[in-house]
Amino acid sequence: MNVNRITDIFFDLDHTLWDFEKNSALTFELIFRKLCCKVELEDFLVYYNPINQRCWKLYRENKISEKELRIQRLIQTFNSMNVQIKEKKLKEISNLYIENLPKFPYLFDGANDLLNHLKKKYRLHVITNGFHKVQNFKIKNSGLEPYFNFIFTAEKVGFKKPNPKIFETAMKTAGSTPCSSLMIGDSFEADIKGALKLGMQALHFNSHNEPEHKSCTIRYSLKDIKQIFE
């Protein structure tokens, strides 16, 4: 990675800056309490988190729709737990989840320090596969909005990472080139491979222990990422 050539840094949002697991757990805790669901939150999350990641992979590959993603991750989780939930209640949980998830503002440790440091020298942007309205609410509610020049969502651009077109659109809008652009994200498949394929620089924030690789620099905390730029 050639730091001296970088002018623009593109961040993923969930699992990179915004602490998805923590905010998601708090959201389900609120929902289960509100609906009096007799489900142990910790047991639920053991199944839900990996199922959610698999469903997002299918969504990223255009194998399921947004509507299917939202409901299938719940159906599969409750089925795995051998818990029977009526369809009406499943839809209610799904709707409450989307409504309340972006209200929780927790970021990964070191997120604000990193962004404050980088903002002094680089133009910062977001490229996310998340739903447009939800992601923008997350960014505003967590105090991230002032850091970024542009926010690119797959829903608005029309292509999901790792499709080259979302990266091309982002760079064209930002006025950067591949060699002067750095992508920082948690997903090797979506963020890193997608960026490298276009000739962008990439930095893998391996927040959930994906397999090791030699495709680009890997770091395991935002504090360690900040040190690269000091």
Side-chain angles (χ1 to χ4, degrees):
M1 185 171 67
N2 188 342
V3 175
N4 294 326
R5 300 186 70 178
I6 296 170
T7 60
D8 292 75
I9 300 177
F10 298 84
F11 282 92
D12 177 49
L13 183 61
D14 295 339
H15 307 284
T16 300
L17 296 171
W18 196 79
D19 192 338
F20 181 88
E21 267 76 21
K22 182 174 183 176
N23 292 314
S24 181
L26 290 168
T27 304
F28 279 119
E29 182 181 34
L30 181 152
I31 293 169
F32 292 166
R33 186 169 61 246
K34 181 175 183 177
L35 299 182
C36 299
C37 293
K38 295 180 180 179
V39 176
E40 289 293 331
L41 179 62
E42 289 186 10
D43 293 341
F44 175 86
L45 293 173
V46 166
Y47 290 100
Y48 177 81
N49 286 334
I51 287 172
N52 183 51
Q53 287 188 22
R54 290 197 295 271
C55 286
W56 269 100
K57 185 176 189 298
L58 292 173
Y59 175 71
R60 191 166 62 234
E61 295 170 349
N62 296 314
K63 293 178 179 178
I64 60 173
S65 66
E66 174 186 336
K67 184 178 180 181
E68 289 170 324
L69 163 65
R70 291 182 176 186
I71 200 70
Q72 279 299 319
R73 58 189 176 184
L74 293 174
I75 291 173
Q76 292 179 33
T77 299
F78 286 118
N79 284 345
S80 297
M81 297 177 69
N82 294 314
V83 174
Q84 299 297 316
I85 300 286
K86 292 182 179 180
E87 183 179 354
K88 182 179 179 181
K89 196 162 193 176
L90 275 172
K91 289 181 178 178
E92 189 174 9
I93 293 171
S94 177
N95 291 335
L96 284 171
Y97 183 74
I98 294 299
E99 177 186 338
N100 288 282
L101 178 65
K103 295 178 182 178
F104 289 94
Y106 294 99
L107 306 175
F108 277 102
D109 288 343
N112 285 310
D113 285 345
L114 172 63
L115 294 171
N116 279 320
H117 182 71
L118 295 178
K119 185 69 174 173
K120 298 172 186 175
K121 187 174 180 180
Y122 308 99
R123 295 190 296 262
L124 308 182
H125 320 283
V126 170
I127 305 178
T128 172
N129 280 347
F131 311 128
H132 182 78
K133 185 176 179 180
V134 174
Q135 298 303 79
N136 275 279
F137 193 172
K138 287 177 185 176
I139 288 168
K140 290 178 181 178
N141 198 47
S142 59
L144 291 175
E145 189 175 28
Y147 293 113
F148 299 115
N149 292 49
F150 294 104
I151 297 166
F152 303 95
T153 64
E155 189 175 354
K156 283 295 182 181
V157 175
F159 300 95
K160 306 181 190 79
K161 296 178 294 183
N163 190 305
K165 292 188 180 297
I166 191 169
F167 296 102
E168 289 172 347
T169 299
M171 286 188 289
K172 183 177 180 180
T173 304
S176 65
T177 62
C179 63
S180 68
S181 299
L182 171 68
M183 180 71 207
I184 300 178
D186 69 289
S187 170
F188 178 74
E189 181 182 327
D191 300 312
I192 306 308
K193 287 178 69 175
L196 291 175
K197 190 174 182 179
L198 273 180
M200 296 172 70
Q201 300 192 59
L203 198 166
H204 188 184
F205 173 40
N206 199 351
S207 60
H208 42 90
N209 296 314
E210 290 191 335
E212 294 279 339
H213 60 83
K214 296 183 179 180
S215 298
C216 69
T217 300
I218 304 173
R219 290 294 184 270
Y220 293 88
S221 75
L222 296 182
K223 293 178 182 178
D224 288 341
I225 290 177
K226 182 186 173 187
Q227 289 180 353
I228 294 174
F229 296 92
E230 290 179 336

